[in-house]
């Protein structure tokens, strides 16, 4: 019987982020406490730019955006938001999306699988993803459960399970 396998990736669906951003922009434009404070959220190249005339207001914009991401099933570990910066008369926060598993994070996950996972499970780094293979599908499911239980500082998805 051939080995079963799955891939561990860290990807964000851009359309879902776009939908969350549009929902947040709509809520900001209609909420009473954001009237007249110049609050906005929009794409700025490949980053997300949030603006408001006060530090607390711009943090509130970020909070609204994060709640919309959660509702759309996107992990907040994939969002890297900076600190509020004063720019002229308004505050700005730039946020970016983390995609792909870095080499050191891939090695970290592979080490967890090697040390704590079932015997006979192999993990190999392939670019910005990790391929996990084993003869037993039960072992693969045990690896998925193990990794879901770990508190890693980056988002993981499990794809191509076969």
């Amino acid at each position: 019987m051939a080995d079963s396998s799955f891939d561990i990736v860290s990807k964000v669906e851009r359309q879902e982020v776009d939908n969350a951003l549009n929902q947040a922009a709509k809520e900001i434009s209609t909420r009473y406490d954001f009237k007249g404070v110049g609050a906005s959220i929009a794409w700025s190249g490949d980053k997300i730019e949030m603006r408001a005339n006060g530090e607390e207001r711009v943090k509130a914009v970020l909070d609204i955006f994060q709640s919309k991401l959660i509702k759309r099933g996107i992990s907040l570990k994939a969002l890297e938001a900076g600190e509020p910066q004063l720019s002229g008369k308004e505050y700005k926060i730039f946020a970016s999306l983390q995609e792909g598993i870095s080499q050191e994070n891939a090695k970290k996950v592979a080490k967890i699988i090697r040390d704590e996972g079932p015997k006979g499970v192999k993990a190999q780094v392939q670019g910005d993803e990790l391929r996990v293979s084993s003869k037993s599908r039960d072992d693969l499911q045990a690896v998925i459960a193990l990794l879901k239980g770990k508190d890693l500082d980056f988002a993981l998805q499990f794809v191509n399970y076969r």
Side-chain angles (χ1 to χ4, degrees), residues 130-151:
L130 198 68
R131 166 80 38 98
V132 179
S133 58
S134 172
K135 293 210 179 301
S136 165
R137 285 178 168 239
D138 291 341
D139 287 350
L140 293 180
Q141 289 178 339
V143 168
I144 291 174
L146 169 74
L147 292 176
K148 282 184 177 177
K150 292 288 179 193
D151 186 28

Side-chain angles (χ1 to χ4, degrees), residues 82-99:
E83 290 299 310
Q85 301 167 337
L86 185 61
S87 171
K89 290 185 177 177
E90 63 185 4
Y91 283 87
K92 292 182 181 180
I93 292 180
F94 288 98
S96 60
L97 298 168
Q98 301 299 103
E99 290 204 279

Side-chain angles (χ1 to χ4, degrees), residues 6 8 101-117 123 125 130 132 143 146-147 150 152-156 158:
F6 67 88
I8 301 174
I101 301 174
S102 68
Q103 288 292 335
E104 57 266 12
N105 285 340
K107 287 178 184 171
K108 225 187 287 184
V109 171
K111 182 170 174 24
I112 290 170
I113 293 169
R114 213 175 30 251
D115 295 346
E116 301 175 34
V125 179
L130 198 68
V132 179
V143 168
L146 169 74
L147 292 176
K150 292 288 179 193
L152 301 169
D153 56 346
F154 51 96
L156 293 179
F158 307 100

